[in-house]
PDB file of all heavy atoms in Angstrom:
ATOM      1  N   PRO A 348      22.934  36.490 -35.070  1.00 94.00           N
ATOM      2  CA  PRO A 348      23.497  37.747 -35.608  1.00 94.00           C
ATOM      3  C   PRO A 348      24.718  37.552 -36.492  1.00 94.00           C
ATOM      4  O   PRO A 348      25.002  38.404 -37.333  1.00 94.00           O
ATOM      5  CB  PRO A 348      23.843  38.531 -34.337  1.00 94.00           C
ATOM      6  CG  PRO A 348      22.944  37.988 -33.283  1.00 94.00           C
ATOM      7  CD  PRO A 348      22.782  36.542 -33.607  1.00 94.00           C
ATOM      8  N   THR A 349      25.457  36.458 -36.299  1.00 95.00           N
ATOM      9  CA  THR A 349      26.636  36.218 -37.136  1.00 95.00           C
ATOM     10  C   THR A 349      26.280  35.576 -38.473  1.00 95.00           C
ATOM     11  O   THR A 349      27.164  35.323 -39.285  1.00 95.00           O
ATOM     12  CB  THR A 349      27.629  35.310 -36.402  1.00 95.00           C
ATOM     13  OG1 THR A 349      26.977  34.072 -36.062  1.00 95.00           O
ATOM     14  CG2 THR A 349      28.126  35.981 -35.131  1.00 95.00           C
ATOM     15  N   THR A 350      25.003  35.297 -38.673  1.00 95.00           N
ATOM     16  CA  THR A 350      24.551  34.673 -39.921  1.00 95.00           C
ATOM     17  C   THR A 350      23.511  35.580 -40.586  1.00 95.00           C
ATOM     18  O   THR A 350      23.016  36.526 -39.983  1.00 95.00           O
ATOM     19  CB  THR A 350      23.943  33.287 -39.667  1.00 95.00           C
ATOM     20  OG1 THR A 350      22.772  33.432 -38.841  1.00 95.00           O
ATOM     21  CG2 THR A 350      24.935  32.382 -38.972  1.00 95.00           C
ATOM     22  N   GLN A 351      23.207  35.265 -41.816  1.00 94.00           N
ATOM     23  CA  GLN A 351      22.156  35.967 -42.535  1.00 94.00           C
ATOM     24  C   GLN A 351      21.233  34.954 -43.197  1.00 94.00           C
ATOM     25  O   GLN A 351      21.640  33.838 -43.500  1.00 94.00           O
ATOM     26  CB  GLN A 351      22.729  36.934 -43.561  1.00 94.00           C
ATOM     27  CG  GLN A 351      23.611  36.315 -44.620  1.00 94.00           C
ATOM     28  CD  GLN A 351      24.287  37.375 -45.482  1.00 94.00           C
ATOM     29  OE1 GLN A 351      24.381  38.534 -45.099  1.00 94.00           O
ATOM     30  NE2 GLN A 351      24.745  36.960 -46.646  1.00 94.00           N
ATOM     31  N   CYS A 352      20.013  35.381 -43.420  1.00 95.00           N
ATOM     32  CA  CYS A 352      18.940  34.474 -43.817  1.00 95.00           C
ATOM     33  C   CYS A 352      18.812  34.416 -45.330  1.00 95.00           C
ATOM     34  O   CYS A 352      18.910  35.438 -46.020  1.00 95.00           O
ATOM     35  CB  CYS A 352      17.636  34.943 -43.173  1.00 95.00           C
ATOM     36  SG  CYS A 352      16.200  33.957 -43.614  1.00 95.00           S
ATOM     37  N   GLU A 353      18.592  33.215 -45.839  1.00 93.00           N
ATOM     38  CA  GLU A 353      18.284  32.998 -47.247  1.00 93.00           C
ATOM     39  C   GLU A 353      17.040  32.133 -47.344  1.00 93.00           C
ATOM     40  O   GLU A 353      16.971  31.071 -46.729  1.00 93.00           O
ATOM     41  CB  GLU A 353      19.442  32.288 -47.972  1.00 93.00           C
ATOM     42  CG  GLU A 353      20.667  33.144 -48.192  1.00 93.00           C
ATOM     43  CD  GLU A 353      21.726  32.409 -48.993  1.00 93.00           C
ATOM     44  OE1 GLU A 353      21.555  31.179 -49.206  1.00 93.00           O
ATOM     45  OE2 GLU A 353      22.707  33.036 -49.405  1.00 93.00           O
ATOM     46  N   PRO A 354      16.021  32.565 -48.121  1.00 93.00           N
ATOM     47  CA  PRO A 354      14.809  31.743 -48.240  1.00 93.00           C
ATOM     48  C   PRO A 354      15.034  30.536 -49.137  1.00 93.00           C
ATOM     49  O   PRO A 354      15.854  30.561 -50.051  1.00 93.00           O
ATOM     50  CB  PRO A 354      13.796  32.714 -48.849  1.00 93.00           C
ATOM     51  CG  PRO A 354      14.636  33.684 -49.624  1.00 93.00           C
ATOM     52  CD  PRO A 354      15.931  33.837 -48.863  1.00 93.00           C
ATOM     53  N   LEU A 355      14.301  29.481 -48.874  1.00 92.00           N
ATOM     54  CA  LEU A 355      14.300  28.281 -49.697  1.00 92.00           C
ATOM     55  C   LEU A 355      12.926  28.136 -50.338  1.00 92.00           C
ATOM     56  O   LEU A 355      11.957  28.756 -49.911  1.00 92.00           O
ATOM     57  CB  LEU A 355      14.614  27.041 -48.859  1.00 92.00           C
ATOM     58  CG  LEU A 355      15.947  27.058 -48.102  1.00 92.00           C
ATOM     59  CD1 LEU A 355      16.075  25.803 -47.243  1.00 92.00           C
ATOM     60  CD2 LEU A 355      17.118  27.166 -49.055  1.00 92.00           C
ATOM     61  N   TRP A 356      12.838  27.327 -51.390  1.00 87.00           N
ATOM     62  CA  TRP A 356      11.542  27.127 -52.023  1.00 87.00           C
ATOM     63  C   TRP A 356      11.147  25.672 -52.036  1.00 87.00           C
ATOM     64  O   TRP A 356      11.911  24.786 -51.684  1.00 87.00           O
ATOM     65  CB  TRP A 356      11.508  27.729 -53.420  1.00 87.00           C
ATOM     66  CG  TRP A 356      12.610  27.351 -54.355  1.00 87.00           C
ATOM     67  CD1 TRP A 356      12.762  26.178 -55.015  1.00 87.00           C
ATOM     68  CD2 TRP A 356      13.708  28.169 -54.753  1.00 87.00           C
ATOM     69  NE1 TRP A 356      13.868  26.209 -55.811  1.00 87.00           N
ATOM     70  CE2 TRP A 356      14.471  27.419 -55.681  1.00 87.00           C
ATOM     71  CE3 TRP A 356      14.117  29.465 -54.446  1.00 87.00           C
ATOM     72  CZ2 TRP A 356      15.624  27.925 -56.276  1.00 87.00           C
ATOM     73  CZ3 TRP A 356      15.255  29.966 -55.031  1.00 87.00           C
ATOM     74  CH2 TRP A 356      15.994  29.205 -55.928  1.00 87.00           C
ATOM     75  N   ASN A 357       9.917  25.453 -52.426  1.00 88.00           N
ATOM     76  CA  ASN A 357       9.263  24.139 -52.397  1.00 88.00           C
ATOM     77  C   ASN A 357       9.082  23.629 -50.970  1.00 88.00           C
ATOM     78  O   ASN A 357       9.096  22.420 -50.719  1.00 88.00           O
ATOM     79  CB  ASN A 357      10.039  23.109 -53.228  1.00 88.00           C
ATOM     80  CG  ASN A 357       9.976  23.397 -54.711  1.00 88.00           C
ATOM     81  OD1 ASN A 357       9.013  23.977 -55.199  1.00 88.00           O
ATOM     82  ND2 ASN A 357      11.003  23.000 -55.442  1.00 88.00           N
ATOM     83  N   ILE A 358       8.914  24.567 -50.055  1.00 91.00           N
ATOM     84  CA  ILE A 358       8.650  24.227 -48.654  1.00 91.00           C
ATOM     85  C   ILE A 358       7.168  24.389 -48.348  1.00 91.00           C
ATOM     86  O   ILE A 358       6.604  23.661 -47.545  1.00 91.00           O
ATOM     87  CB  ILE A 358       9.495  25.104 -47.714  1.00 91.00           C
ATOM     88  CG1 ILE A 358      10.987  24.978 -48.049  1.00 91.00           C
ATOM     89  CG2 ILE A 358       9.250  24.721 -46.257  1.00 91.00           C
ATOM     90  CD1 ILE A 358      11.553  23.596 -47.869  1.00 91.00           C
ATOM     91  N   GLY A 359       6.514  25.347 -49.000  1.00 92.00           N
ATOM     92  CA  GLY A 359       5.112  25.608 -48.733  1.00 92.00           C
ATOM     93  C   GLY A 359       4.926  26.401 -47.453  1.00 92.00           C
ATOM     94  O   GLY A 359       5.861  27.010 -46.913  1.00 92.00           O
ATOM     95  N   PHE A 360       3.697  26.390 -46.961  1.00 94.00           N
ATOM     96  CA  PHE A 360       3.387  27.146 -45.750  1.00 94.00           C
ATOM     97  C   PHE A 360       3.774  26.306 -44.536  1.00 94.00           C
ATOM     98  O   PHE A 360       2.943  25.711 -43.850  1.00 94.00           O
ATOM     99  CB  PHE A 360       1.904  27.512 -45.716  1.00 94.00           C
ATOM    100  CG  PHE A 360       1.545  28.435 -44.587  1.00 94.00           C
ATOM    101  CD1 PHE A 360       2.014  29.739 -44.561  1.00 94.00           C
ATOM    102  CD2 PHE A 360       0.757  28.003 -43.539  1.00 94.00           C
ATOM    103  CE1 PHE A 360       1.696  30.588 -43.525  1.00 94.00           C
ATOM    104  CE2 PHE A 360       0.423  28.849 -42.500  1.00 94.00           C
ATOM    105  CZ  PHE A 360       0.903  30.143 -42.487  1.00 94.00           C
ATOM    106  N   ASN A 361       5.068  26.261 -44.273  1.00 93.00           N
ATOM    107  CA  ASN A 361       5.627  25.518 -43.149  1.00 93.00           C
ATOM    108  C   ASN A 361       6.801  26.287 -42.587  1.00 93.00           C
ATOM    109  O   ASN A 361       7.434  27.093 -43.278  1.00 93.00           O
ATOM    110  CB  ASN A 361       6.099  24.113 -43.585  1.00 93.00           C
ATOM    111  CG  ASN A 361       4.961  23.224 -44.028  1.00 93.00           C
ATOM    112  OD1 ASN A 361       4.128  22.804 -43.236  1.00 93.00           O
ATOM    113  ND2 ASN A 361       4.911  22.928 -45.319  1.00 93.00           N
ATOM    114  N   ARG A 362       7.084  26.045 -41.344  1.00 93.00           N
ATOM    115  CA  ARG A 362       8.275  26.634 -40.753  1.00 93.00           C
ATOM    116  C   ARG A 362       9.526  25.977 -41.318  1.00 93.00           C
ATOM    117  O   ARG A 362       9.498  24.838 -41.764  1.00 93.00           O
ATOM    118  CB  ARG A 362       8.269  26.472 -39.225  1.00 93.00           C
ATOM    119  CG  ARG A 362       7.243  27.325 -38.485  1.00 93.00           C
ATOM    120  CD  ARG A 362       7.468  27.242 -36.994  1.00 93.00           C
ATOM    121  NE  ARG A 362       6.510  28.018 -36.232  1.00 93.00           N
ATOM    122  CZ  ARG A 362       6.664  29.304 -35.932  1.00 93.00           C
ATOM    123  NH1 ARG A 362       7.749  29.948 -36.336  1.00 93.00           N
ATOM    124  NH2 ARG A 362       5.755  29.929 -35.225  1.00 93.00           N
ATOM    125  N   GLY A 363      10.625  26.707 -41.272  1.00 93.00           N
ATOM    126  CA  GLY A 363      11.898  26.148 -41.699  1.00 93.00           C
ATOM    127  C   GLY A 363      12.225  26.365 -43.155  1.00 93.00           C
ATOM    128  O   GLY A 363      13.189  25.759 -43.644  1.00 93.00           O
TER     129      GLY A 363
END
Side-chain angles (χ1 to χ4, degrees):
T349 58
T350 63
Q351 59 188 19
C352 178
E353 288 184 351
L355 302 176
W356 51 76
N357 291 331
I358 304 297
F360 187 67
N361 294 291
R362 289 189 181 272

